[in-house]
Amino acid sequence: MVTRKAGAAIAAGCSVINAPSEDTPLVTLYMAKLGIEAGFPEGLLNVLTCSRDTKPAVGKALCEHPDIAAMSFTGSTAVGKVLIKQCADTVTRVHLELGGNAPLIVFESADIDRALNGTMMAKFRNAGQACNAANRVFVHKSLYSEFVEKLGRKILDLKVGNGMEKRIDVGPLVNIKGSDKVSSIVDNALKTEGIERIGNKNTENTSGLPYYSPTLLSCNDKTNVSIFDEEIFGPVATLFSFESEEEVVELANKTRYGLQAYIFTKDLAQSWRVSENLEYGMVAVNEGAISSACNPFGGWKESGIGREAGISELTSLPRIS
């Protein structure tokens, strides 16, 4: 993520101050080390680490400083809204990549094995800790039972543990607070009538570490459940059935987020039609991943402002007349 932000800024001729998450600063620090080894001049790539307690003050100082030309942030929508306000007095340009509630839609014509593999990638990579992770999986009613059964078996095969060890598929969440949040979301959802946990029913964590077992929830009620609106940010897939294209597009758009969507279909016309009707900045067609260094990355609605990857967002050419 830092390479996508800092690389584009440096290519556009800008110096960078990077303030990484207090939970995950090591990649940013190592990138700065590589920059020194590569001969970057002093002050080109800067890293500013801070604690959870001091982060708000540091962020405010950066947003309000008159020498800051642009502010780029990846994180929660709530924090993004605060940063926009802090940048307002200096009219600092903002690029925000915020929360997501990505739908993954499996249409009647889909290659079910490709859709299953795509769902595993879109949902469970990085233990579900991705802004563009699939949160709500919509499966056509004609495929629903088969899809739930096969996806449940795949989830049971996932091994949870230390990612530095061999044959581990799902590592820990970023901290205990993160795993507690996922556990609370699932527990609250299971109190709702019509939601069933499929496959792995033992998600109790007694290790004291931030692990959460991959979980599949089958939801009969499509909207009147709290989990429909939650950004889970963990290894939990929620499945819903649908009957028509119009119905599922309406359900997919029924969220304040609009970062990324996934669709699986063999109908080319349908892929174009649905992609145009989905209110999302990015749509993956028959793929479980879409992000790459060359693709503009960003969303609509409360999922952010602007696009990352590439220097177009970071260059302002003067008009001379």
Side-chain angles (χ1 to χ4, degrees), residues 3-4 8 282 290-298 307-312:
T3 56
R4 182 163 60 199
M282 302 173 289
I290 193 174
S291 180
S292 71
C294 59
N295 284 337
F297 189 99
R307 292 292 183 270
E308 294 183 355
I311 66 173
S312 61

Side-chain angles (χ1 to χ4, degrees), residues 88-134:
D89 285 345
T90 52
V91 198
T92 298
R93 182 184 301 186
V94 294
H95 309 131
L96 302 177
E97 193 269 282
L98 306 176
N101 190 9
L104 186 150
I105 304 170
V106 182
F107 285 102
E108 187 175 13
S109 68
D111 180 327
I112 193 167
D113 290 327
R114 187 178 185 113
L116 284 164
N117 292 333
T119 302
M120 293 297 292
M121 180 181 294
K123 175 68 260 185
F124 295 104
R125 67 175 179 270
N126 200 35
Q129 300 170 110
C131 53
N132 57 348

Side-chain angles (χ1 to χ4, degrees), residues 7-47:
I10 291 170
C14 306
S15 59
V16 175
I17 300 173
N18 191 285
S21 165
E22 62 275 9
D23 290 312
T24 56
L26 297 183
V27 169
T28 304
L29 289 166
Y30 192 74
M31 181 178 174
K33 176 179 180 292
L34 293 177
I36 293 171
E37 293 176 359
F40 280 15
E42 184 176 344
L44 180 62
L45 178 58
N46 309 276
V47 180

Side-chain angles (χ1 to χ4, degrees), residues 170-183:
V170 178
L173 300 187
V174 67
N175 52 34
I176 291 292
K177 183 179 178 181
S179 59
D180 286 347
K181 175 193 171 186
V182 173
S183 180

